[in-house]
């Protein structure tokens, strides 16, 4: 699991949290937004800045928000002992994709193990709100998985000779057309053009669910020689580290 570190300009000082007893889940109530957008919105509220500790985007990328050891601003009356996680999207009307679900599940599992806690709540469990939405896949996200510790960019291991042990990071497609699949292997179907991320579609010139040579992708994890990227799974045989 890779957590993308960010630097924010805070409005005032942040207070350290003295205990961590639970995790509270939210949606952004915006179909498309970034961690920087949320930081701006929360500054406009008069807060110190982004109130969530983590932000999970639809492509599965996880961004650092407020420093993990500080008191958040995400659930009034419940901030002093909780970690807040926000998911890009508006889940009163949308349905969350599996890539985002998987990323959220891994993050929640990692945090539960790190702090020795089991309590995970929806925002509406502690405040008068409909957040994170009636379509939010809460049960899927709180399901236990074996979570890997986050790998800071500055300390990622060097590339291994084994394709199943290669590091996360940025890779370049070396094949003329590389199929994007729904899972790690040829027994999984190729994704359609419309199932790719917006960036993936730009590099699918033939609109057949394949990325062209030279496309750069972010790899989050490896499994049996296959790489999980925002658009889907790619064969590691045709990826080179950049």
């Amino acid at each position: 699991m890779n957590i993308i570190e960010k630097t924010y300009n805070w409005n005032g000082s942040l207070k350290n949290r003295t205990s961590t007893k639970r995790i509270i889940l939210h949606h952004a109530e915006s179909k498309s937004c970034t961690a920087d957008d949320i930081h701006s919105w929360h500054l406009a509220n008069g807060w110190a800045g982004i109130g969530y500790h983590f932000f999970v985007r639809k492509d599965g990328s996880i961004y650092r928000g407020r420093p993990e050891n500080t008191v958040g601003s995400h659930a009034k009356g419940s901030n002093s002992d909780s970690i807040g996680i926000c998911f890009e999207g508006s889940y009163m009307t949308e349905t969350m994709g599996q890539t985002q679900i998987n990323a959220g599940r891994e993050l929640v599992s990692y945090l539960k193990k790190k702090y020795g806690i089991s309590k995970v709540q929806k925002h509406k469990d502690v405040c008068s709100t409909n957040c994170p939405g009636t379509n939010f896949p809460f049960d899927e996200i709180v399901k236990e998985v074996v979570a890997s510790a986050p790998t800071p960019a500055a300390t990622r291991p060097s590339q291994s000779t084994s394709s199943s042990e290669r590091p996360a990071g940025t890779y370049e497609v070396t094949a003329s057309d590389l199929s994007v699949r729904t899972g790690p292997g040829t027994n999984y179907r190729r994704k359609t053009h419309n199932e790719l991320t917006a960036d993936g579609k730009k590099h699918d010139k033939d609109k057949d669910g394949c990325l062209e040579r030279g496309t750069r992708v972010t790899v989050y994890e490896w499994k049996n020689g296959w790489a999980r990227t925002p658009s889907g799974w790619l064969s590691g045989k045709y990826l080179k580290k950049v």
Side-chain angles (χ1 to χ4, degrees), residues 51 57-58 65 76 107 135 155 203 211 220:
R57 298 210 65 183
K58 291 181 176 180
K76 187 175 182 180
L107 176 60
N135 296 334
T155 58
H203 298 282
L211 302 182
Y220 300 127

Side-chain angles (χ1 to χ4, degrees), residues 102-119:
N102 291 345
R105 181 188 300 152
E106 187 173 12
L107 176 60
V108 167
S109 293
Y110 162 72
L111 292 171
K112 287 167 69 176
K113 181 178 180 180
K114 179 176 180 178
Y115 291 96
I117 58 177
S118 60
K119 190 173 186 178

Side-chain angles (χ1 to χ4, degrees), residues 181-194:
R181 297 189 179 273
T182 57
T186 55
N187 55 320
Y188 291 89
R189 69 172 177 82
R190 179 192 295 176
K191 284 195 170 186
T192 65
H193 176 77
N194 289 333

